[in-house]
Amino acid sequence: MAVLIGRAVYLQVLDRQFLKHQGDLRHVGILPVPAHRGRIFDRNGELLAISTPVKSIWVNPKEFREAQVPADRRKVLASLLGISLEALDKHVEGNRNRSFAYLKRRINPELADEVAALGIAGIYADREYRRYYPTGEVAAHLVGYTNIDDKGQEAMELAYDDWLKGAEGAKRIIRDGKRRVIEDLENVSLPVPGKDLALSIDQRLQYLAYRELKKAVLLHRARSASLALLDTRTGEVLAIANQPSYNPNSRSQMKGSASRNRAITDIYEPGSTMKPFAVALALELGLYRPDTVIDTTPGTMRVGRNIVKDIHNYGVLDVAHVLQKSSNVGVTKIALDLPSKKFWAFYNNLGFGQPLETGFPGEANGRLSDYHGWSPFEQATLSFGYGISASTVQLARAYSALANDGVMPMVSLVKRDKLPESHRIMSARTAIRVRRMLERVVSREGTALKAAIPGFRVAGKTGTVKKSDVGGYSSSRYISVFAGLAPVSKPRLVMVVMVDEPSAGEYYGGAVAAPVFSRVMEGALRLLNIAPDQEEITPLLAAQQDEPT
């Protein structure tokens, strides 16, 4: 008895601090306080992503089992949580030795209040945040989404996760013997909210681009499509759309292929949209002039063991008409006169085979083979867009050099406050000359009449590309492309439209991709209050143009 009394006195009088510490360990705890994730806006301050407060329901299995909740009340609880009674009981039983297990994450506060009103022992709710995307599938490929723990998983949500996520806080709380929080003691550290992010896109233009691209895919029964609209001066992406798409607010039925931002991550051979660059280099080197005559007779040309063909025998053409008629033979003769090293360097400087450096996850570099291994035929095919691959945004970036008087700005998916780093690719004189030639393409005598816009001068180039297949190129699967700029007098916008495997009959770039360009570009020019530069508006007739290439 003396020993026990002595021990009690020691513990309760002389060593009280030890007991107090042990009691605190069991009753005082640290609880994390979630941080508010930063918002994502478009360039005009319109919301693209926001975190809203929600509740997560969790259970203390030990307490729940001890309470012996009647089956009818458990059934009501399960119904509110959207699960079966069997699933609820199985979940609790499977975590019987734990004091914490989630039942339902991220439910709206009103539903959480209904759960709390049941007054079931062992059922609790914690505050969290859920990401909401006001534009849904329209901007999904650029904005991306977060997982259930609010961590970025795709696109800009992933690329800027550290910027957006903030820092979790902590508070000291008191729990009772059943691990329930009964009192907040103090804030240990306050949560630091994430930073907001302003993207380069204009939500109005994004809606327009998405709508028209989706309409074209449905009309032509295409496999997929992508579109990129760039500001020629700043390199900012004003709209970027893809098909198929997905709804980031409801991803239960989402397919993996639908989540790709094809305009940045997928590459393809761009076909005849590359011809202006071969012509630009020939002008830059002084080897050709716009009026230099080239004989394309008889519409075919042998290069080594291979044959280069035109759809028609165009006869004698000047350089400007080579682009207007999209003559493969004409541009081949130009390409074979170009020094291989300078040809490669010119394409390389335009960004082909080079990263976009936007920071977007999974962006493609494209492919441009080294000139040391080029045969004459390979050099020829590069001039009309085979043997080289690029993404839609890469092609648009290259066209921005033609639009911006020979200077190519770096591409950005984030709103810029100042002019970006730029690279001079060609002289302003060469860029202006090529633009004027490409203006002829968008005419009744060219291949892209359907790209024309009333009141505006438009320049561009069509591309109809046979897809690679086993043993060569397919004769039934095509990619339809149009790359263009407007207004020609002072280019402000560049756009590339790519439609993959249209299967409703039409497949030429001038018939499939060019109309999408026209509708989106016309809307963009008017929304941005860009003044018309065509003195006389020529009515556009619905007559079909000659077979485009």
Side-chain angles (χ1 to χ4, degrees):
M1 287 294 293
V3 171
L4 290 175
I5 292 170
R7 181 62 176 166
V9 170
Y10 176 78
L11 291 174
Q12 296 182 44
V13 178
L14 302 178
D15 199 16
R16 282 182 61 188
Q17 199 62 36
F18 170 78
L19 288 180
K20 182 177 184 302
H21 177 65
Q22 291 299 312
D24 287 346
L25 287 178
R26 287 160 176 78
H27 294 281
V28 177
I30 301 295
L31 197 66
V33 180
H36 189 280
R37 190 173 178 86
R39 298 167 297 177
I40 300 179
F41 298 96
D42 83 337
R43 65 184 302 102
N44 300 315
E46 296 294 329
L47 270 173
L48 300 174
I50 186 171
S51 292
T52 57
V54 291
K55 295 286 186 72
S56 288
I57 305 299
W58 59 278
V59 61
N60 181 329
K62 293 180 180 178
E63 183 182 351
F64 186 85
R65 293 176 68 251
E66 289 173 2
Q68 296 183 346
V69 182
D72 58 339
R73 297 185 69 201
R74 298 202 315 275
K75 189 172 183 180
V76 174
L77 173 63
S79 177
L80 287 174
L81 297 178
I83 58 177
S84 66
L85 176 59
E86 292 75 15
L88 173 64
D89 290 343
K90 184 177 180 180
H91 186 68
V92 172
E93 187 63 26
N95 292 279
R96 60 186 303 170
N97 295 320
R98 300 176 61 189
S99 59
F100 177 93
Y102 277 118
L103 286 178
K104 192 77 171 181
R105 300 285 298 275
R106 293 175 164 186
I107 65 174
N108 66 62
E110 291 77 14
L111 181 57
D113 290 341
E114 289 186 51
V115 172
L118 295 175
I120 297 176
I123 300 297
Y124 304 98
D126 282 343
R127 183 178 179 178
E128 290 189 300
Y129 290 99
R130 180 179 181 177
R131 206 65 163 164
Y132 174 65
Y133 302 95
T135 57
E137 62 184 49
V138 172
H141 290 114
L142 180 61
V143 178
Y145 58 86
T146 60
N147 65 9
I148 199 166
D149 294 314
D150 224 19
K151 295 180 180 178
Q153 298 298 293
E154 287 285 351
M156 300 302 273
E157 287 276 31
L158 174 59
Y160 284 82
D161 188 54
D162 289 340
W163 176 272
L164 292 164
K165 70 182 181 182
E168 195 176 65
K171 62 181 179 181
R172 185 172 283 109
I173 49 90
I174 294 180
R175 299 181 188 272
D176 64 12
K178 295 182 178 180
R179 304 294 294 168
R180 294 175 297 189
V181 177
I182 58 175
E183 185 180 351
D184 289 349
L185 290 180
E186 61 178 336
N187 288 319
V188 177
S189 61
L190 293 174
V192 179
K195 300 173 185 176
D196 293 339
L197 179 66
L199 301 186
S200 61
I201 63 170
D202 184 319
Q203 184 174 280
R204 301 168 301 168
L205 306 185
Q206 185 68 26
Y207 270 111
L208 176 63
Y210 178 82
R211 182 190 71 199
E212 295 300 332
L213 193 68
K214 185 174 184 178
K215 189 187 300 183
V217 167
L218 294 174
L219 176 64
H220 296 286
R221 298 203 299 271
R223 180 181 180 184
S224 63
S226 61
L227 178 155
L229 174 66
L230 273 60
D231 185 311
T232 61
R233 301 168 304 173
T234 66
E236 292 170 300
V237 176
L238 300 181
I240 185 166
N242 300 274
Q243 283 294 313
S245 188
Y246 68 97
N247 184 354
N249 296 308
S250 178
R251 302 190 299 274
S252 57
Q253 303 298 319
M254 185 182 78
K255 296 180 180 178
S257 60
S259 67
R260 292 205 314 271
N261 190 337
R262 298 169 187 269
I264 296 179
T265 65
D266 288 16
I267 57 176
Y268 52 90
E269 292 177 307
S272 293
T273 56
M274 294 298 295
K275 289 175 181 175
F277 302 119
V279 169
L281 179 57
L283 299 178
E284 188 77 355
L285 296 177
L287 301 175
Y288 285 81
R289 294 168 46 87
D291 57 359
T292 301
V293 172
I294 300 172
D295 188 359
T296 67
T297 306
T300 61
M301 176 182 176
R302 179 173 290 277
V303 181
R305 297 180 179 180
N306 301 280
I307 301 292
V308 175
K309 297 180 181 179
D310 284 336
I311 288 181
H312 303 292
N313 177 9
Y314 295 117
V316 177
L317 301 172
D318 60 23
V319 173
H321 281 87
V322 166
L323 288 181
Q324 182 176 328
K325 297 297 183 182
S326 198
S327 169
N328 292 334
V329 173
V331 79
T332 291
K333 290 192 172 184
I334 293 172
L336 293 178
D337 285 338
L338 301 174
S340 298
K341 185 176 181 179
K342 291 186 177 181
F343 195 0
W344 176 88
F346 191 70
Y347 273 20
N348 184 68
N349 289 339
L350 283 164
F352 296 109
Q354 301 295 317
L356 287 166
E357 297 182 359
T358 61
F360 191 88
E363 68 175 24
N365 291 348
R367 184 174 64 86
L368 173 64
S369 60
D370 185 83
Y371 67 93
H372 287 100
W374 290 357
S375 67
F377 182 68
E378 286 173 314
Q379 181 159 329
T381 59
L382 286 170
S383 68
F384 50 85
Y386 285 88
I388 183 173
S389 60
S391 68
T392 296
V393 175
Q394 278 183 311
L395 186 57
R397 176 178 64 177
Y399 266 76
S400 69
L402 298 175
N404 203 34
D405 290 346
V407 176
M408 187 179 74
M410 300 294 288
V411 173
S412 179
L413 299 171
V414 176
K415 184 180 179 182
R416 282 177 164 153
D417 297 320
K418 59 182 180 180
L419 290 177
E421 177 186 353
S422 298
H423 305 282
R424 178 160 292 283
I425 308 299
M426 66 192 86
S427 67
R429 184 167 183 258
T430 294
I432 292 169
R433 281 172 146 188
V434 175
R435 284 207 306 265
R436 289 174 178 168
M437 289 188 236
L438 292 179
E439 191 174 3
R440 294 186 181 187
V441 175
V442 189
S443 68
R444 196 168 307 284
E445 292 74 32
T447 61
L449 175 61
K450 291 182 178 180
I453 301 171
F456 292 89
R457 294 169 58 194
V458 176
K461 186 71 190 72
T462 56
T464 306
V465 190
K466 291 183 177 181
K467 295 189 70 172
S468 59
D469 209 339
V470 178
Y473 286 91
S474 172
S475 59
S476 59
R477 298 189 302 134
Y478 296 87
I479 293 175
S480 303
V481 191
F482 185 82
L485 54 94
V488 171
S489 58
K490 191 176 181 181
R492 284 285 309 280
L493 302 173
V494 162
M495 187 193 307
V496 172
V497 179
M498 184 280 287
V499 180
D500 184 19
E501 291 190 32
S503 60
E506 294 182 310
Y507 57 86
Y508 287 112
V512 176
V516 180
F517 171 92
S518 176
R519 290 190 292 268
V520 177
M521 183 64 82
E522 180 177 12
L525 291 168
R526 301 196 189 286
L527 284 169
L528 297 177
N529 295 316
I530 298 173
D533 63 341
Q534 185 172 305
E535 294 181 4
E536 182 180 348
I537 301 176
T538 304
L540 297 179
L541 302 179
Q544 293 292 322
Q545 69 242 42
D546 290 338
E547 290 181 308
T549 60

